[in-house]
Amino acid sequence: MKWFLCLIAAGLYLCLQTCVHAEPRLSRSVIEKAVIEAKATVDSAYEYSRRVSIDRVRRNVVSPADILRTLKQPVGPTRSAVRAADYMDNAIKLIKRSLEKRQKRSINATDLISEEDLQVIADLTGCSSRHRVPSCKTTPNLDYFRTAASVCNNRKNTRWGSANTPFTRWLPAEYQDKISLPKGWDPNRKIGKHLLPLVREVSNQILRTANSDVESDPLYTHLVTIFGQWTDHDLTFTPHSPVIRSFSNGIDCERSCERTEPCFPIEIPEQDPRLDRDLEGCIPFFRSAAACGSGNTGHFFGASNVRQQMNSLTAFIDVGQVYGAEDIKARFLRNLTSDMGLLRVNTEYTDNGRELLPFTDMYSNMCATRARITNDFNVEEVPCFVAGDERSNENIALTSLHTLFMREHNRLAGALAELNPHWDGERLYQEARKIMGGYFQVITFRDYLLHIVGPDVIANQLSTYPGYDENVDPSISNVFATAAYRFAHLMVQPFIFRLNEHYREHQEFPSPLLHEAFFAPWRIIFEGGLDPIIRGLVGRRAKLNTQDHMMPDEIRERLFEFSSALALDLASLNMQRGRDHGLPGYNKWRKFCGLSQPRNRKQLSKVLKNDKLARSLLKLYGKPYNIDVWLGGVAEPFVRGGRVGPLFACLIATQFQKIRQGDRLWWENKGVFTEAQRESLRETSLARIICDNTGITEVPEQPFQYQHRGTGYTKCRDIPAFDLSPWRENSP
Ligand code: HEM
Ligand SMILES: *[C@@H]1O[C@H](CO)[C@@H](O)[C@H](O)[C@H]1NC(C)=O
Ligand SMILES: *[C@@H]1O[C@H](CO)[C@@H](O)[C@H](O)[C@H]1NC(C)=O
């Protein structure tokens, strides 16, 4: 008997040892049950969001927040990735909660969910396939052509730079709870003795600019601005989760000021005139989706468990905004009824005989803005256009660039077919796509970046091509997408200019205010097509970002406003997004770039060359360390010849350096193009591409550089054509 009791005691003791201190495996059924329950929760939240969206679209009550949400919707493979992440996140929360109940105390799940169990959960939720390494053996022509999602660009790390991988971080994330919650989630929590200001308060005090106060850039055209947006849409897209109400308490993100995942509403400060219009007192904001397995307690796949955000696009300059960043989308955009390597075009409308983008086949009337804007309810509405990137309808200038470059692809495919009648549609498509990739790598490095980061940074970081380095990870960094490359939000004019053949304001179709040019494909179809808009881009100046005229009301007060609904504020969104992503503050990034770290007003005044601004910033933030990095970056005075300050010049140059050096298929890398082909590509001219694909007959030869028209711009016939002869191949 004694012996028996002893055994029980020993067993209990052992059990306590293992149960409390080690990490016992959870039973398979516990895990399975949690995963099934999590899937049900997530699926029903997805279904609810889908129903609400469709219903709002039907009833025509789409709000500006709906539009942003639709813009940031994950689709295709991105959607499955986001859904898997939501499954996993919820399953772990369920397991944790049930364990806590059993233990009757708060625990951190790391103590109780082992690596092996996390792996099982990942397998069951579909998160593991995200981490599985694709094989590059079966893909043909990997030495010459890119895959749609750019897997296998790097042969050792096959996912580097590919679509639907997490943004990389150059500095560790800073979350309120060190893992997942944004700074400012708890508004009463101090960071180094200071409360973070409300982003809307910062926006009101620092960024507010009346449309009429906008200054124009003496040197650069509005094309510089929109080309920036265009390149961004080749490189970064951060999806939301589709969910619109909290998983834990069912609160609708748009109807509440409560911070509850995924809602992180932007609180409107007192004395803001918006408060009178908005009963809730908040601008809705949804957190970016977490990458699979991140932001949970527990270490995962050997990586740190801190919450990461995903990039749906490839990191390479590969013109994904024309072709799509995944296979299904890429195929969808092609014209496969003829074997000519063409992209699909609109079969209902043309622009004076020239091609327009095809319409989307997804049911949505997001682009049916014509009646509301013209106040004429008898007008014909059209659907949104579809292109390689989901944001092609965002504004009509951007849409025009999408259209222009789709036309150039088709022009190239046709010309290549004449040179090489033996090439099939697949070859024509891939070769034209590859030339387009070359174009944009040349134009971005030779022309565009020079005007942004200035000649000194170019000389230091981006001049001579150093050759491919397979050890360079080209992935886009979180700070680039979330802060640095949003610099040009302060270069956006409050108008989309439309000009006639003489580069004067168009009589019939005058320049619309920006907020009347959002999601307005009808303006391209029914209001004179591409030519007036392209002329407006190359013949009018960019907005100049100055320290006292930062962001005009068009995008600070009227973002995605079509009706009386409360519009969004792009400045607030940018800063809230930075906090959502856990970006460190201004000084940490200055340090990362080897720049001074101002500690007080005097030093900050010196960095900003502006005492008044330094004073206002410190009144809001307490100390420079806390300044939201996007704001700190855009507040700096420009580097010589550039349009960003030293911090963003460094961050932007560093990113493009990696994009170039880590790209096996970079146009200058050995064996990608022939020497003769490279010679042609070196002569690429944006002016020529405009001439070849529009009805425009004269353009500034350097379309990024503002030039008064005077007696006329360069005639198209005087701009040399792109020399395709090096692509002639003797038929086998
Ligand atoms: C023309 C007017 C523009 C509008 C209306 C606009 C609007 C927006 C909006 C609503 C977002 C999402 C904000 C959020 O919730 O985080 C965004 C993101 C962004 N914008 Fe713009 N933008 C414009 C121009 C530009 C330009 C000129 C650039 C750059 C050079 C740019 C670069 C970016 C970048 C890098 C992002 C982050 C994209 C992502 O990773 O998802 N935008 N913009
Ligand atoms: C778990 O919690 C304890 C006490 O709260 C903490 O010291 C420990 O670092 C936590 N473990 C991990 C891996 O976060
Ligand atoms: C596909 O190409 C053929 C041949 O050029 C053309 O007639 C047809 O309209 C195109 N279809 C689409 C949807 O672009």
Side-chain angles (χ1 to χ4, degrees), residues 100-118:
E100 273 171 359
K101 226 181 279 162
R102 210 184 307 163
Q103 306 273 325
K104 294 206 175 56
R105 66 188 175 97
S106 176
I107 40 157
N108 47 18
T110 350
D111 297 341
L112 286 145
I113 307 180
S114 63
E115 290 282 325
E116 292 86 347
D117 286 338
L118 277 172

Side-chain angles (χ1 to χ4, degrees), residues 416-433:
L416 287 170
E418 266 176 41
L419 276 182
N420 298 297
H422 59 288
W423 283 2
D424 64 2
E426 175 65 17
R427 181 82 190 269
L428 290 165
Y429 167 83
Q430 294 296 356
E431 293 282 357
R433 171 172 173 247

Side-chain angles (χ1 to χ4, degrees), residues 48 83 87 102 125 206 284 353 419 427 438-439 468 505 575 596:
Y48 172 80
R83 194 187 280 252
Y87 285 160
R102 210 184 307 163
T125 51
I206 309 287
L419 276 182
R427 181 82 190 269
Y439 279 175
Y468 173 55
E505 185 71 19
M575 290 180 276
S596 69

Side-chain angles (χ1 to χ4, degrees), residues 333-340 342-347 355 358 410:
L333 293 169
R334 290 174 63 172
N335 180 343
L336 297 170
T337 52
S338 69
D339 193 34
M340 296 159 73
L342 301 171
L343 291 170
R344 252 167 11 97
V345 300
N346 201 296
T347 49
E355 297 167 330
N410 283 352

